[in-house]
Amino acid sequence: MAKKDDAVTLDIDGHEVRVSSPGKIVFPEPGITKLELVEYYLAVAEGALRGAGDRPMVLKRFVKGIDAEAFFQKRVPENRPDFVSSATLRYASGTSAEEAVITDAAGLAWIVNLGCLDLNPHPVRAGDLDHPDELRIDLDPMPGVEWSQIVDVAFVARDVLADCGLIGWPKTSGSRGIHILARLEPRWEYAELRRAAQTFAREVENRAPGLATAHWWKEERGESVFVDFNQNAKDRTVASAYSVRPLPDARVSTPVGWDELRTVRPDEFTVPTVRARFGERGDAHARIDDAAGSLDQLLALADEMGPADKAPRSGDGSGRRQSVMPLVEISRAATKNEALAGLETWKARHAAIVPHLTPADVLVDGMRGSSSLWYRVRVNLQHVPEGDRPAQERLEVDYDPWTRQS
């Protein structure tokens, strides 16, 4: 374990950046230290800043390691160095947050020293916070979906973008999915961006029925790839290019070319392999800023399609959505492991129905709290014979995120 007083100071383009506990092991499996993580980001700084530079960002800090939940910090620390600026984002709720903005490699190193692994910028530039310059397509596979299906959907997405006059730039998400980015002229507000994104998702679903879905409610998706249009809402951020994700193998969200998308696999891209790849090949997204396009055609398609279908509402006067699927809630927990442990307890008690469940029937949701995630587990009983379906029971783990979060 690194001592508290063994900090090193790096000179990065004339800026001094202090790295505390440089020998601390951040990723035990490959043995990557905190200093090595900083050095990785410095090696890929050109590409990482192309995705995250000059954008306000949420600081996602893993202060207790990759096995613990991250702490989300919207407000930039008061003692930030002079090479880190800020921008104040204002939301419809009336709240605001002064978020960090970095523009150079020193800023990258400073953020990593705070315990940030991945970079989570908003799709706007610091100079124009009301007009996004990026459409973000998150292809999020349901459990049981193979990589080949995700890639098939990605190529459909590419064609939809092209038909609407936009160029898509793919990258691995750093987990199981694929992100596709399309640069925009900053002429539209967030509401228009989200409307265009939802229209895009519906069109992908129309062209790839059974493979892709635009259904917001997870229990209605089946074994498909969800085209997550809501990543374009004003309060949402996505891990940007070259972000290191909190997985044991130190996996990286990596830009790739369309010509290699069918042959690569997400687990190929880790801190050491991406550092070598960047040194040899440069950034696959190097020309993304030269390809800004228009939302006009997607918004025209939105007018043609009309509004999306809305879910039915409950009849109890609350106005809450009524699910069309037979759902039971299993657990609410502060950590994913606790939530899944509750699921295993429930499965043991209802062992007879477990063989009827498909991977996509188990719904694990990461829910954003005030400063961290909490987890909910539900089970869709659609494949269980109606007479054998268990009723809703007391939660196996009953965490109350509304009263226990500060």
Side-chain angles (χ1 to χ4, degrees):
M1 180 180 295
K3 298 178 181 179
K4 292 184 178 180
D5 60 352
D6 66 351
V8 298
T9 299
L10 304 179
D11 186 333
I12 305 172
D13 299 328
H15 298 299
E16 290 189 349
V17 180
R18 182 179 183 273
V19 179
S20 60
S21 303
K24 178 182 178 182
I25 300 295
V26 180
F27 290 94
E29 189 173 290
I32 296 173
T33 66
K34 187 178 181 182
L35 181 59
E36 288 170 332
L37 194 61
V38 171
E39 291 171 342
Y40 157 78
Y41 271 109
L42 295 178
V44 302
E46 179 188 348
L49 290 168
R50 188 170 285 115
D54 194 34
R55 300 179 183 278
M57 65 171 62
V58 174
L59 303 180
K60 185 179 176 184
R61 302 176 64 178
F62 290 85
V63 294
K64 296 182 180 179
I66 63 171
D67 294 328
E69 295 299 324
F71 170 74
F72 291 92
Q73 181 175 339
K74 287 187 176 182
R75 288 171 175 78
V76 63
E78 293 183 0
N79 60 344
R80 68 179 186 271
D82 58 9
F83 52 82
V84 174
S85 60
S86 67
T88 301
L89 277 72
R90 291 179 171 81
Y91 300 98
S93 62
T95 61
S96 64
E98 185 182 0
E99 298 189 6
V101 177
I102 62 170
T103 57
D104 56 20
L108 277 174
W110 176 77
I111 281 179
V112 176
N113 183 60
L114 292 178
C116 298
L117 301 182
D118 45 16
L119 311 174
N120 291 270
H122 291 271
V124 290
R125 303 285 181 171
D128 187 352
L129 300 176
D130 296 318
H131 298 95
D133 72 336
E134 190 169 79
L135 172 66
R136 295 173 171 180
I137 299 158
D138 180 6
L139 302 182
D140 185 11
M142 289 293 287
V145 172
E146 299 291 336
W147 174 251
S148 59
Q149 181 176 333
I150 309 169
V151 172
D152 287 343
V153 173
F155 276 92
V156 174
R158 181 188 68 170
D159 292 344
V160 173
L161 286 172
D163 290 346
C164 293
L166 295 168
I167 298 175
W169 300 79
K171 68 183 182 74
T172 62
S173 69
S175 182
R176 297 180 58 239
I178 293 173
H179 295 162
I180 304 173
L181 310 177
R183 282 287 198 269
L184 302 172
E185 300 162 0
R187 296 194 286 118
W188 295 271
E189 296 183 352
Y190 269 101
E192 295 170 300
L193 175 69
R194 187 182 182 280
R195 182 166 176 253
Q198 185 173 21
T199 300
F200 170 86
R202 294 169 66 192
E203 180 62 15
V204 172
E205 180 183 53
N206 289 342
R207 296 193 191 188
L211 296 180
T213 180
H215 287 210
W216 175 249
W217 306 107
K218 187 178 288 189
E219 66 270 18
E220 298 175 7
R221 298 175 193 166
E223 292 188 356
S224 63
V225 177
F226 175 46
V227 186
D228 189 352
F229 54 87
N230 209 45
Q231 298 292 18
N232 295 278
K234 188 172 186 178
D235 60 344
R236 299 298 288 270
T237 60
V238 175
S240 58
Y242 298 99
S243 286
V244 182
R245 308 309 302 275
L247 295 177
D249 58 359
R251 199 170 300 186
V252 173
S253 178
T254 306
V256 296
W258 286 107
D259 59 342
E260 60 180 336
L261 191 57
R262 290 198 182 278
T263 59
V264 298
R265 293 294 182 274
D267 58 2
E268 295 177 22
F269 301 116
T270 62
V271 165
T273 64
V274 172
R275 181 173 180 174
R277 171 186 166 95
F278 193 90
E280 295 167 2
R281 304 175 55 170
D283 183 13
H285 285 187
R287 298 179 61 190
I288 190 172
D289 288 323
D290 300 328
S294 168
L295 283 181
D296 285 343
Q297 292 186 58
L298 269 177
L299 291 173
L301 181 59
D303 292 335
E304 288 180 30
M305 285 186 167
D309 293 337
K310 292 186 177 180
R313 299 292 166 177
S314 65
D316 60 6
S318 68
R320 293 192 183 95
R321 168 185 169 270
Q322 179 67 50
S323 177
V324 298
M325 293 294 180
L327 297 177
V328 290
E329 187 171 4
I330 308 302
S331 56
R332 297 178 183 180
T335 68
K336 188 174 184 179
N337 286 341
E338 289 175 301
L340 292 176
L343 173 65
E344 292 307 312
T345 301
W346 182 88
K347 282 183 175 181
R349 194 165 62 254
H350 299 287
I353 73 164
V354 171
H356 293 287
L357 302 177
T358 69
D361 288 335
V362 178
L363 310 173
V364 181
D365 303 307
M367 314 290 284
R368 183 72 70 87
S370 60
S371 61
S372 61
L373 290 176
W374 60 278
Y375 290 88
R376 177 181 67 183
V377 176
R378 296 170 297 159
V379 171
N380 188 346
L381 302 173
Q382 62 180 330
H383 295 115
V384 178
E386 189 169 352
D388 297 334
R389 294 172 182 171
Q392 177 67 56
E393 302 167 324
R394 289 184 60 184
L395 298 182
E396 301 294 340
V397 184
D398 193 1
Y399 171 75
D400 186 347
W402 293 278
T403 61
R404 301 183 194 181
Q405 293 216 27
S406 58

